Each structure stands twice: as structure tokens, then as C-alpha cells.
Amino acid sequence: MRQLWARLISLTRSALRGLSSSPVASGVAVVTIAISLVLVGAFALLASNMRSLLDDFGDALVVAAYLGENVPASEYPALADLARSVEGVESVQVISPEQALERFRVGVGRGAALLEGLSENPLPASLEITLLPEHQSAAGLGVVVESLEGLPGIDDLGSGQQWVEGYLRALALVRGLGIGLGAILGFAALLIVSNTIRLAMLSRRDELELLALVGASRSFVGAPLLLEGALCGAAGSALALALLFLLFQLVVPGFEFGLELLLGGLSPHFFAPSECLALMAAGVAVGVVGSLFALASERFA
Amino acid sequence: MRQLWARLISLTRSALRGLSSSPVASGVAVVTIAISLVLVGAFALLASNMRSLLDDFGDALVVAAYLGENVPASEYPALADLARSVEGVESVQVISPEQALERFRVGVGRGAALLEGLSENPLPASLEITLLPEHQSAAGLGVVVESLEGLPGIDDLGSGQQWVEGYLRALALVRGLGIGLGAILGFAALLIVSNTIRLAMLSRRDELELLALVGASRSFVGAPLLLEGALCGAAGSALALALLFLLFQLVVPGFEFGLELLLGGLSPHFFAPSECLALMAAGVAVGVVGSLFALASERFA
Amino acid sequence: MHDAVRATVGLFHVSKSYAAGHFALRDVCLEFQRGEFALLSGPSGAGKTTLLKLIFAAERASEGQILVLGRNASRLGAAAIPSLRRRIGVVFQDFKLMPRRTVEENVALALEVVGTPRREVRARVFAILKQLGLQDRRFHHPLSLSGGEQQRVAIARALVNEPEILLADEPTGNLDEELSLEIMDLIAAAAKRGTTVIVATHDSAILERYGGRHVRLEHGRVVSEHSTPAGREGE
Amino acid sequence: MHDAVRATVGLFHVSKSYAAGHFALRDVCLEFQRGEFALLSGPSGAGKTTLLKLIFAAERASEGQILVLGRNASRLGAAAIPSLRRRIGVVFQDFKLMPRRTVEENVALALEVVGTPRREVRARVFAILKQLGLQDRRFHHPLSLSGGEQQRVAIARALVNEPEILLADEPTGNLDEELSLEIMDLIAAAAKRGTTVIVATHDSAILERYGGRHVRLEHGRVVSEHSTPAGREGE
Ligand SMILES: Nc1ncnc2c1ncn2[C@@H]1O[C@H](COP(=O)(O)OP(=O)(O)OP(=O)(O)O)[C@@H](O)[C@H]1O
Ligand SMILES: Nc1ncnc2c1ncn2[C@@H]1O[C@H](COP(=O)(O)OP(=O)(O)OP(=O)(O)O)[C@@H](O)[C@H]1O
Ligand SMILES: [Mg+2]
Ligand SMILES: [Mg+2]
């Protein structure tokens, strides 16, 4: 146990010595890791905030059946029961014109200014029809809409559908960006970091070659280098977190209106502590993997 | 003239010799530039395609005034004239129910399957009201909507507005992403590239120091290094273009449906030749600027 | 284990060619015993450095067998090389010091690779640096040392470990005559303690002063070999 | 222009201290004339390399003035240093060859920095390599050369340019006696052609054989200085 401890201390010491003996190369590696992680992190932050928005979309994936103006309020429950019997419908809720206006106000945030000039409530009463999960798609929606269309008292199904359609596009957009850019970014960060560490090692090649000449085993050379990679990764991700937090604090107030449009009524949130830890872990992992790549690509013997 | 030519040839020769004398470092620099440009380029490609979509949005920023079912087709022109007299309105076009359905079919692409089950045309006739440029905003829209509301024969103004609202969000989203991620990406790429070139120089520090010792002037040392940066940048951006093109060819068919939703009916396009050239130029510029940074941060004397 | 074999270092019909057609060493047969002190001489390019490189497995022989401390150095796998090298001290012709480490760290390296405890490392490094007149320089970096000081650091690193074999390539090229002899005495003393010492040198003063075994290489071949029973170091 | 001043190199009360309190050179006054051949000796760490470094402006004097080819080397701006260095050939104690360039490229460098046309570069590089017995090695890389071969490449680079001043720091440390004298003759011949030559050396054979001016440094001070009217190189 004490043996192991001593070994760890001496390992750490030689890693730190390695880092400090080539300060420029180490600094560059740390900064590069930080930049890469800021990129990935900024994207993750956006995606995480957008996901909250998408959860809200789940609620929006309902069919609103606008009732004709000549339908008296007393008939609303009966109509709702009728709608409930349609296949693919999970639940039905009655929305009075007043409720509809209130919702619209909350939903569009500041955009609600749009409605202030109105002298009377233009919104009709409606049935908010939630679909069963298996019908929550464009095709499923079509089937349900077709069935609902035949019901009496329902004036229009179009509006809600258009909303949903607009949101489906936004959703596909965010997903597309998420998968595509996220994958490219992550992969690029890994490549860049491993290249940087490789170059950092190259600038110390003479030293590493000498180690082999005096009989250092592969693990004696490799272990501190991996630890150096891990330390660079940790330092880089800490720096990245700090930068992201700063960016977050600076950007959020400036773009308040834009973000409100983007995120609906939700206020933007930073990473949770566990997510911060995950980012740190990613940094360390990227550093270690980079060192491994570099070690594998350079042979010191 | 021949002097200059000879000077250029010898400069190029010594730059190429410099690159080939440290193949690993040069290779890493090229790959890093390529990766950075793939990131920026993939983003630019997406943004450029989305811009086409946004141009389409311009057309969508119209108010559709749905006419009541009891209004006979013969009164449409008179109603249109009336709408034209509202302040802020640029032009008004009459859309018959048949035209509306056709448009909807084209607009949603495959999503049109949604409409196939319909036995009769559910869409009403409408007036497509284009706003003057200065009214093409949420607030301007509000004013016009208010005026239109008082006109006879108009049943509903809501639907078009909701469409617009949904799109406004998407627009803000794309703009926000565009400004934020684009700026971060570009800056990050520049930092990463200049760091990489700096490290590549570090691995040849002995050589650069010697040049100073034998009396090489700053320009004798610096000029080939800048040219090396430019060559790395050119090679990197060529590689990036090739990768992007490959990515484009691979990704587009796989995500056809998603992209259709994202881009509406538009088919995705790759960079125009002039845009390719711009990317190359960006690569060269980044390489040169990176070399300048590196030269400024390292003093060889 | 190496006591069981006859010679500490044995070369049997060894040839080395870096590029086809040109031989740096050709059909060399030599044996070096435990505690032997051998001087290797010959003109520039004769193959002295190559011979030493083959012994500590920095190069592989093109032909022939090389036995070092009971191992076949010409056939050693990459994993077995470090353990062999840890038993050999080498003074490189171009010093090979780590420019970003202090003198102390450079010398300590040879002890660290064999896992010596830190306290012992410090004591032994200090002792050897003092012997070589470098105790004031121990926190300096190699680039801030004079040529002769760098050479002495390289010698300290090779000796600190008390290796079973000491290979020294032109260890006094940057030293004045007086210092040269002082340091050669130190190297010769290692042989007295049982180390097999092989020194490549051009220095005629050293060749005249030290007895023991003299091997002369020319164009990669051993052209003369003689032993004086006791040199000055035996006086 | 440099003909107008009395000495090619003049040091006036020059001191150099790398770290506070410790002087590598102390109050040195020396002048070297055009075509002079001077040998600089002294124990390891005496300040020989430091003296040479001051002359080609690789270090700055802590005190005193240094005139080189009519310029004040101790006050030269960074922009003026290259043009001075192009008129000085230097053989570095540690060679300082570019490991990733061939021998030919290494030597050509000294001509390229002064803008010599390519054809002439080739011819002159070949000629000097031949003089030094390195013509077969010209496409080799320095790491694949023996120590003595590397040293000769360094000498070739310093000489190829026919500089007005030649500074050589221990140029024969890795050469056997015979080759040493051959190469010293080459260096002495440069002095005959008008080059001011300053050679730092420990080699007693060279010190005995060559006349001219002998300067001995110890602990950073000039402790003895004498001239023999004509050395062996005048025979
Ligand atoms: N790595 C290599 N690749 C190709 N040729 C080499 C290499 N190392 C040495 N040589 C050649 O092998 C020959 C012997 O070199 P070696 O270094 O053994 O000579 P040496 O006796 O040590 O000479 P010196 O006294 O000059 O150091 C030389 O001609 C040299 O050019
Ligand atoms: N860059 C430096 N920083 C600090 N001290 C230095 C530096 N260069 C040299 N010294 C010290 O200055 C003194 C003189 O060094 P110098 O290299 O001039 O000696 P030298 O006469 O050339 O010796 P040698 O014959 O061993 O090469 C030495 O004690 C050395 O440690
Ligand atoms: Mg040798
Ligand atoms: Mg010196």
C-alpha cells in the first residue's frame, strides 16, 4: 500500500516535471483541449437547453379541434366524449376561448404584444386532443385527423396541425444538427487533441529517445506521458468550463429576447454539477486517449 | 523579373524542404487545419442551405386572410381591393381552395401523405397579403392584422399568423446558432491552427535557432515559414473540401426525409465553385496568420 | 548469472552495414572479461561508435552474434532491451543530455529507471557530481554549461549506477589534458571494482598513459590488438 | 570598411556574467588583427566558448566594449546582428548541424543566407567537402555520420563562405591526431588568405605544433599571452 502510494507520487512528480520542462508545448496542449471542449460544451449546452424546449413540444403534439361558433358551451363535454372514442386518441381536454387566449399569451412570451391591440377574443373554443404515443407522428396524425374530421360541431382542424408541422421541422432541425454537428465536433476534438499531444511529444523527442537509451522500460516512459495527457485534459476541461460559464453569463442577458423566442418561456440553464463532472471526465479521457494515440504513433527505442 | 522569379522558386523550394524535413509535424498541421475547416465548412454548408430556406420564409411572411365559406367567388376581387387599401399592405393575391391545396402539397413534401385521405378539399379560399418590408416583423404584423380584422367577409386571420410565428422561432434559432457557433468555431479554428503551427515550429526549434546563428535575416527565416503555413493551409483546405464533399454525398441520401423536413421542398446543395475558392482562401489565410502568430510568439535569435 | 558465462561481452564474427555495400564493421571477433579495461582507437569513421552501439543494442548486427551479460544482444526482443541497458552505463560521444532538465535530474535518471528510492538517488547523485567537480552546477541546465562540464555530466550519468559494463565514447574530447587524466582514473577505478570498461578514444596521451588492452580499428576491421599487463593505472 | 579600423576584433575591458556574482569572463582586453591566427586555451569552464560567443553576438557583454569588423557587437540591435554574422564563420563545440537536412544542405546553408546563386553554391560546397574528405557523405544526414565526420561538416560550413573571421571552438575534439593536424592546416591556410582565425582548443599537440598567438584563459581572465613569430604552419 505504501509502496503503491510512493509509486503514485513519483509518477505524478515525473509527469509534472515533464509538463513543466516543456511549458510552451504543455500550454498549447491545454489550450487546444480547452478550445475543443468549449466547442463541444457550447453545443451540448445549447442542445441541453433545446431539449427542455422539445419536452415542451411533446405537449404541443396534440390536435386542436376548433369548435364552431354556433356550438353552445353546454355541448362541449359531449363532443369531447365523442372525440375520445376515435382510435388513436389518448385523452381530450376542453379549452374555452379564455383559456386559449391565456395560453397563447404565455406561449409566445413577449410576442404576446401582438395580441394586445385586439378588442375581443378572436380565438374559438377547442378540444385539445392528445394522441397515443404510437400515433405521435406525421402519418399517425393523418389517420386521426381523418377520423376527427367526420365529427359534428368541429369547424377546423387545420390550425393545430400547422403548428405541429412547424414544430416538427424545428425538431428535425435540432435533431439533425445534434447528431451531425455533435458527432463531427466530438470526433474532430479527439483528433485535434491527439495531434496536439503528439506534436507536444515531438518537441521532446530527444528526451524520450534518451530514456530508451538508458534502459527505461516502456511503462516507465509511457505511464508519466499518459498521466501528462490526463492532467492536460483535466486542466483543459477546467479551463473550458470556466470559459463556458463566462460565455454563458455574458451572452444570456445580451440575447434575452432572442433566447426567449428560441426557448419559449423557459429561462436558459447552465450545466448541472453532474454534467460539469462529465465534461471534466471527457477532458481527461480525451487527454489519455490522445496520449495513447501519440505513443502508438511514435516509437521511442 | 527573372530575379524575382528565381527568388520565388528558391523560397518555395526551401519551404517545401522545411515541410518535408519534419513530415510528422507538417502532416499533423495539415490534418488539424483540415479538421478545423471541416467543422467550419460543415456549419457553413448547413447555414447556406438554411438560408435558402429562410429566403422561402420571406414568402411565408404574408398574412393569409381566410374567406368565409359563404362568400361567393365573384366577390373575391373586390375583397382583395379592399385589403390592398390597408396601410402596410404591399400586394394581395387571391388563392382559390384548389390553389391552396396544391401549394400545401408542394410545401410539406412527403408530409403531403397526410392529406391523401381527405375526400373533399378542407381548405378555404384566402387572400395572400404581402406586407411592405417595414411591416415584416412581429410588431408590424400586429398592426396590419388589426386593420384587416375589421374587413367584411374575412373569417380568420389566425392560421397564417401561427405559421409565421413557428417559423420566426426557427429563424431566430438558426440565426442564434449562426452567430454564436459560427463565431466560436471560426475563432477556435484560428487558435487551434496557430497553436499547431507553433508546435510544429517548436519541433524544429534547433534548426530555426541555427539559422539565426549563421546570420540568416529575419525575412530569410520567416518567409519560408509563412509560405509553409500557406501551403499547409492550402493542403488542409483542399483536404477539408474533399472530406466535406464526401460527407455531403454520404449523408444527404441517408437523411433524405429529415432533410426534406428541414429544408422544405428544396434539395440540398454543395458549395458553389466560388464558395470552394473562398474556403481555400480561408485555409491559406488561417495558415499564414497561424505562422505569423507562431513567429511572433517564438523568438529565434 | 553473467558470472556463469566466460566473457561479459563477446563479439563473434560481427559485421554491420548501415547501407548496402558499405560496412561500418566487418568480421569483428572480440571478447571482454569482467573487470577488464579496454581502449578502442582508430581513425574517424573506423567503426568505434558502431561497435559500442551494437553492445548496448542501439543497433543490430548485420551478421554474427553478440553476447552481452549472458544475453544475445543481436537477437534481443524489444521488451528485453531495457533490462539489458540498465546494466550498462554509456557515455555518448554527443553527450545526449536532456536540455530541459537540471544536471541533477539528468544524472538521477540512470538511477530512477532502475527504481532506486529517492533518498538514495539524491545521495548518490551528489557524491558522483562532487567527484567530477560539478557539485556547484547541479541545479544548472545543460545548455548553461561549458562543453567540458557537459561531458562530465554525461560521465556522471554513466557511472552513478555502478553498471556492470561501462561504454565511453570519446569521454575526454572536450577536456584539457589534466582533467582528462583525472577522469580516466575515475573510469579506470570502475574497472578495478569489477566493471567491464570499453573506452573509444583518439587521445594519444591517454593511449600512452593507460595500459590494459588496446584494440585498434581501421575501416571496420580490428587491425591490431595488444595488452600491456599493467598500465599507469596500476602504478 | 573593416580595413579602416585598426583591429578586426577588439575586446576592451570585457566582462561577462551569466548569473549574478559569477563571472565567466572578467576584464578581458584583447585585439585580433586581420589574417591573425590565434589559439585560445585554458581549462574546462575558463570562458573560451563565452569569449567566442561574445564576438559573434550570441551573448552580450555585461561590461566593456567589443568591436567586430568595425561594429560595436555589444550594442548591436537585433536587426543588425545577421549581417555581422554572415561575415563570421563559426565551428560550434557541439557542431549544431541540422539533423533533418543532408550534409550538403547543412554546408550550403552558410552560402544561402548570403544569397549565393544556386549553381555556385553547389560547386563551392562540393569543393570544400572534398577538401575535408566528405564527398561520399554529402547526401547523408548528420545522424548517420560518425562523430569526426560531423565535426568536419561543421568545419566545412564555417569555411565554405570564406568569412572575414573564423571562430572555431574545439574543432578537433572528435578527430584523431593525424586528421586534426590536417584540418588545422586547412584552418591556418584561411588565416594566410586574410581571415582572422581564433581557435579554442585543449589539444596539447596543436598548441605545440602551431605558432602564432597563444592566449590562455583561466577563471575568465587572460593569464598568459605570447606570440611565436612563425609556427609550423609557416614551415
Ligand atoms: N546511422 C548510420 N547510418 C549510416 N551510416 C552510418 C551510421 N552511423 C555510422 N555510419 C557510418 O559508419 C561508419 C563508422 O561510423 P562510426 O560512428 O562507428 O565511426 P567512429 O569510429 O565512431 O568515428 P569517429 O571517431 O569519427 O566518431 C562511418 O563511415 C559512418 O559514416
Ligand atoms: N548560458 C550560460 N548560463 C550560465 N552559465 C554559463 C552559461 N554558459 C556558460 N556558463 C558558465 O560560464 C563558465 C564558462 O563557460 P564556457 O563555456 O565559456 O567555458 P569553456 O572555456 O568553453 O569550457 P570548455 O572547455 O569546457 O568548453 C562555465 O562555468 C559555465 O558553467
Ligand atoms: Mg564515434
Ligand atoms: Mg567551451
Side-chain angles (χ1 to χ4, degrees):
Chain A
M1 183 62 205
R2 273 190 61 198
Q3 270 273 318
L4 192 79
W5 202 233
R7 179 97 190 80
L8 246 147
I9 289 180
S10 98
L11 189 68
T12 311
R13 185 181 297 118
S14 79
L16 287 174
R17 213 159 44 181
L19 288 174
S20 66
S21 79
S22 49
V24 177
S26 316
V28 166
V30 168
V31 169
T32 302
I33 292 176
I35 295 169
S36 303
L37 285 179
V38 165
L39 285 185
V40 176
F43 185 75
L45 201 51
L46 212 95
S48 147
N49 275 294
M50 300 271 300
R51 203 176 316 123
S52 312
L53 178 69
L54 293 184
D55 289 349
D56 256 27
F57 271 180
D59 302 345
L61 202 63
V62 298
V63 176
Y66 295 95
L67 302 176
E69 283 182 28
N70 49 349
V71 178
S74 58
E75 279 187 30
Y76 292 170
L79 280 171
D81 281 347
L82 213 58
R84 239 171 241 127
S85 67
V86 169
E87 201 200 315
V89 170
E90 188 177 61
S91 65
V92 177
Q93 204 192 341
V94 177
I95 310 287
S96 69
E98 295 72 37
Q99 284 172 315
L101 188 65
E102 187 49 37
R103 277 201 181 185
F104 191 58
R105 278 216 168 90
V106 172
V108 299
R110 281 200 195 172
L114 218 102
L115 298 169
E116 261 155 39
L118 299 178
S119 52
E120 61 165 84
N121 185 350
L123 298 173
S126 61
L127 298 177
E128 194 176 87
I129 302 169
T130 312
L131 304 184
L132 287 171
E134 58 268 31
H135 282 264
Q136 289 188 354
S137 66
L141 195 64
V143 174
V144 176
V145 164
E146 198 179 342
S147 310
L148 286 172
E149 214 116 52
L151 295 182
I154 291 180
D155 201 37
D156 191 7
L157 284 164
S159 319
Q161 201 171 317
Q162 283 181 322
W163 252 101
V164 169
E165 190 197 326
Y167 276 151
L168 273 180
R169 284 201 183 186
L171 193 137
L173 180 131
V174 172
R175 280 218 189 113
L177 280 177
I179 296 170
L181 276 191
I184 295 182
L185 263 179
F187 187 63
L190 192 67
L191 273 181
I192 288 174
V193 167
S194 79
N195 271 346
T196 306
I197 293 183
R198 193 170 162 194
L199 276 185
M201 279 191 195
L202 207 60
S203 75
R204 274 163 57 191
R205 174 182 249 165
D206 49 349
E207 205 159 287
L208 297 172
E209 277 169 356
L210 176 69
L211 278 171
L213 286 179
V214 298
S217 62
R218 208 161 162 76
S219 72
F220 186 93
V221 182
L225 284 178
L226 289 186
L227 190 56
E228 281 180 38
L231 289 176
C232 282
S237 50
L239 190 60
L241 268 179
L243 279 173
L244 278 173
F245 189 70
L246 215 79
L247 215 74
F248 185 77
Q249 300 291 11
L250 285 175
V251 164
V252 165
F255 288 84
E256 208 174 328
F257 181 61
L259 283 170
E260 212 161 44
L261 270 180
L262 250 163
L263 300 176
L266 295 172
S267 68
H269 63 267
F270 194 65
F271 290 126
S274 66
E275 289 170 319
C276 290
L277 275 180
L279 197 85
M280 291 278 287
V284 171
V286 138
V288 171
V289 171
S291 297
L292 276 175
F293 273 8
L295 264 178
S297 69
E298 304 290 331
R299 298 193 62 236
F300 304 105
Chain B
M1 184 62 205
R2 271 190 62 199
Q3 270 272 318
L4 191 80
W5 201 232
R7 180 98 189 76
L8 245 147
I9 289 180
S10 98
L11 188 68
T12 310
R13 186 180 297 117
S14 80
L16 287 175
R17 213 160 44 182
L19 288 175
S20 67
S21 80
S22 49
V24 176
S26 317
V28 165
V30 168
V31 169
T32 302
I33 292 176
I35 295 169
S36 304
L37 286 178
V38 165
L39 284 186
V40 177
F43 186 76
L45 201 51
L46 213 96
S48 147
N49 275 295
M50 302 270 300
R51 205 177 313 124
S52 311
L53 177 69
L54 293 185
D55 290 347
D56 256 27
F57 272 180
D59 301 344
L61 202 60
V62 298
V63 176
Y66 295 96
L67 303 177
E69 281 182 27
N70 48 350
V71 178
S74 57
E75 279 185 34
Y76 292 171
L79 279 172
D81 282 346
L82 211 60
R84 238 169 242 128
S85 67
V86 169
E87 201 201 316
V89 169
E90 190 177 63
S91 67
V92 176
Q93 203 192 342
V94 177
I95 309 287
S96 69
E98 295 72 36
Q99 285 172 313
L101 188 64
E102 187 50 35
R103 276 201 180 189
F104 192 59
R105 276 218 170 89
V106 172
V108 297
R110 281 202 194 169
L114 218 100
L115 299 169
E116 262 156 37
L118 299 177
S119 51
E120 62 166 84
N121 185 351
L123 297 175
S126 61
L127 298 178
E128 195 175 86
I129 303 170
T130 311
L131 303 184
L132 287 170
E134 58 268 33
H135 283 265
Q136 289 188 357
S137 67
L141 194 66
V143 176
V144 177
V145 162
E146 199 180 341
S147 311
L148 287 172
E149 213 116 52
L151 297 182
I154 290 180
D155 200 37
D156 190 8
L157 283 165
S159 318
Q161 203 172 316
Q162 282 182 322
W163 252 99
V164 169
E165 189 197 325
Y167 275 150
L168 273 180
R169 285 204 183 184
L171 192 139
L173 180 130
V174 171
R175 279 215 189 117
L177 279 178
I179 296 170
L181 275 192
I184 295 182
L185 261 180
F187 186 65
L190 192 68
L191 272 182
I192 287 175
V193 167
S194 78
N195 271 346
T196 305
I197 293 183
R198 193 169 162 196
L199 275 186
M201 278 192 195
L202 207 61
S203 76
R204 272 163 58 191
R205 174 182 249 163
D206 50 348
E207 205 160 288
L208 298 171
E209 277 169 355
L210 176 70
L211 279 170
L213 286 178
V214 298
S217 61
R218 210 162 160 75
S219 71
F220 186 94
V221 182
L225 284 179
L226 289 186
L227 190 56
E228 280 179 38
L231 290 176
C232 282
S237 51
L239 191 59
L241 268 179
L243 279 174
L244 278 173
F245 190 71
L246 215 79
L247 216 71
F248 185 78
Q249 300 290 13
L250 284 177
V251 165
V252 165
F255 288 84
E256 209 175 328
F257 181 60
L259 284 170
E260 210 160 44
L261 271 180
L262 250 165
L263 300 175
L266 296 172
S267 69
H269 63 266
F270 194 64
F271 291 125
S274 67
E275 289 171 318
C276 289
L277 275 179
L279 197 84
M280 291 280 284
V284 171
V286 137
V288 171
V289 170
S291 296
L292 276 175
F293 273 9
L295 265 177
S297 70
E298 303 291 332
R299 298 192 62 236
F300 304 106
Chain C
M1 175 198 171
H2 60 277
D3 274 333
V5 301
R6 241 181 58 232
T8 312
V9 178
L11 294 99
F12 305 101
H13 301 287
V14 169
S15 294
K16 171 68 186 176
S17 154
Y18 291 104
H22 183 81
F23 281 87
L25 280 183
R26 185 152 228 167
D27 198 27
V28 171
C29 297
L30 285 170
E31 287 193 4
F32 300 93
Q33 311 302 325
R34 185 163 187 278
E36 185 166 347
F37 179 88
L39 291 172
L40 205 58
S41 68
S44 174
K48 303 181 292 298
T49 301
T50 300
L51 182 62
L52 299 182
K53 276 185 177 168
L54 290 175
I55 294 173
F56 72 97
E59 293 284 355
R60 258 169 212 284
S62 307
E63 284 165 41
Q65 305 296 325
I66 303 170
L67 290 180
V68 182
L69 296 169
R71 309 271 193 94
N72 191 333
S74 44
R75 297 227 183 136
L76 228 46
I81 289 178
S83 66
L84 176 65
R85 288 194 184 151
R86 272 176 249 163
R87 299 163 72 185
I88 305 178
V90 185
V91 182
F92 297 97
Q93 193 165 7
D94 55 356
F95 313 157
K96 292 200 197 295
L97 301 176
M98 300 189 290
R100 284 172 295 266
R101 305 292 177 95
T102 64
V103 165
E104 194 176 43
E105 288 169 346
N106 267 284
V107 176
L109 189 68
L111 291 170
E112 281 164 4
V113 295
V114 300
T116 314
R118 246 169 76 75
R119 197 158 295 183
E120 197 184 329
V121 168
R122 289 214 150 187
R124 283 171 71 175
V125 168
F126 185 81
I128 191 84
L129 286 177
K130 196 163 177 196
Q131 265 189 317
L132 289 158
L134 288 169
Q135 69 271 36
D136 300 343
R137 294 278 179 275
R138 70 183 186 283
F139 302 126
H140 283 231
H141 286 256
L143 290 178
S144 74
L145 296 181
S146 81
E149 288 162 346
Q150 289 179 40
Q151 189 155 48
R152 280 176 281 162
V153 175
I155 294 169
R157 185 180 59 199
L159 283 172
V160 70
N161 203 14
E162 302 204 336
E164 292 164 56
I165 301 176
L166 175 65
L167 307 175
D169 200 353
E170 209 69 58
T172 61
N174 286 274
L175 302 177
D176 51 296
E177 200 165 324
E178 203 178 325
L179 200 52
S180 291
L181 295 178
E182 237 172 72
I183 278 166
M184 284 305 295
D185 283 350
L186 241 139
I187 291 176
K192 289 263 163 49
R193 290 194 301 273
T195 299
T196 305
V197 177
I198 309 175
V199 180
T201 187
H202 299 115
D203 194 330
S204 49
I206 288 176
L207 288 170
E208 278 157 30
R209 184 146 171 172
Y210 289 86
R213 177 125 162 250
H214 284 198
V215 178
R216 185 166 171 84
L217 286 175
E218 268 174 34
H219 298 296
R221 291 180 191 275
V222 177
V223 292
S224 84
E225 197 184 340
H226 60 90
S227 288
T228 42
R232 180 256 181 201
E233 94 277 29
E235 279 166 26
Chain D
M1 176 196 171
H2 61 277
D3 275 332
V5 301
R6 240 181 61 230
T8 312
V9 177
L11 293 101
F12 306 100
H13 301 288
V14 169
S15 294
K16 172 67 187 175
S17 154
Y18 290 104
H22 183 81
F23 281 86
L25 281 182
R26 185 150 227 168
D27 198 27
V28 171
C29 296
L30 285 170
E31 287 194 1
F32 300 93
Q33 312 300 325
R34 184 164 188 278
E36 186 167 348
F37 179 87
L39 291 173
L40 204 59
S41 68
S44 174
K48 302 179 293 298
T49 300
T50 300
L51 183 62
L52 300 181
K53 277 185 177 168
L54 290 175
I55 295 174
F56 73 98
E59 293 284 354
R60 258 168 210 285
S62 308
E63 285 165 40
Q65 304 297 324
I66 304 169
L67 289 180
V68 182
L69 296 168
R71 309 273 193 93
N72 190 333
S74 46
R75 297 225 183 137
L76 227 48
I81 289 178
S83 66
L84 177 66
R85 287 193 184 151
R86 272 175 252 163
R87 298 164 70 185
I88 305 179
V90 185
V91 182
F92 298 96
Q93 192 166 9
D94 55 355
F95 314 157
K96 292 201 196 295
L97 301 176
M98 300 189 292
R100 282 172 296 265
R101 305 291 177 96
T102 63
V103 165
E104 194 176 44
E105 288 169 347
N106 267 284
V107 176
L109 189 68
L111 291 170
E112 281 165 4
V113 295
V114 301
T116 314
R118 243 169 78 78
R119 196 158 296 181
E120 198 184 329
V121 168
R122 289 214 150 187
R124 283 171 68 175
V125 168
F126 185 81
I128 190 84
L129 287 178
K130 195 162 179 197
Q131 265 189 314
L132 289 158
L134 287 169
Q135 69 272 36
D136 300 344
R137 294 279 179 273
R138 70 184 185 282
F139 302 126
H140 283 229
H141 287 256
L143 291 179
S144 74
L145 297 181
S146 82
E149 287 162 347
Q150 289 179 40
Q151 190 155 46
R152 280 176 280 162
V153 175
I155 294 169
R157 185 179 60 199
L159 283 173
V160 71
N161 203 17
E162 302 203 337
E164 294 164 55
I165 301 176
L166 175 66
L167 308 175
D169 200 353
E170 209 69 59
T172 60
N174 285 274
L175 303 177
D176 52 297
E177 200 165 325
E178 203 178 325
L179 200 51
S180 291
L181 295 177
E182 237 171 72
I183 278 166
M184 283 306 294
D185 284 349
L186 241 140
I187 290 176
K192 290 262 161 53
R193 291 193 302 271
T195 299
T196 304
V197 177
I198 309 176
V199 179
T201 186
H202 299 116
D203 193 332
S204 49
I206 289 176
L207 287 169
E208 279 158 29
R209 185 150 172 167
Y210 288 88
R213 175 124 161 253
H214 283 197
V215 177
R216 185 168 171 82
L217 286 175
E218 268 174 33
H219 298 296
R221 291 179 189 276
V222 177
V223 292
S224 83
E225 196 184 342
H226 59 90
S227 287
T228 41
R232 179 256 181 203
E233 94 278 24
E235 279 167 27

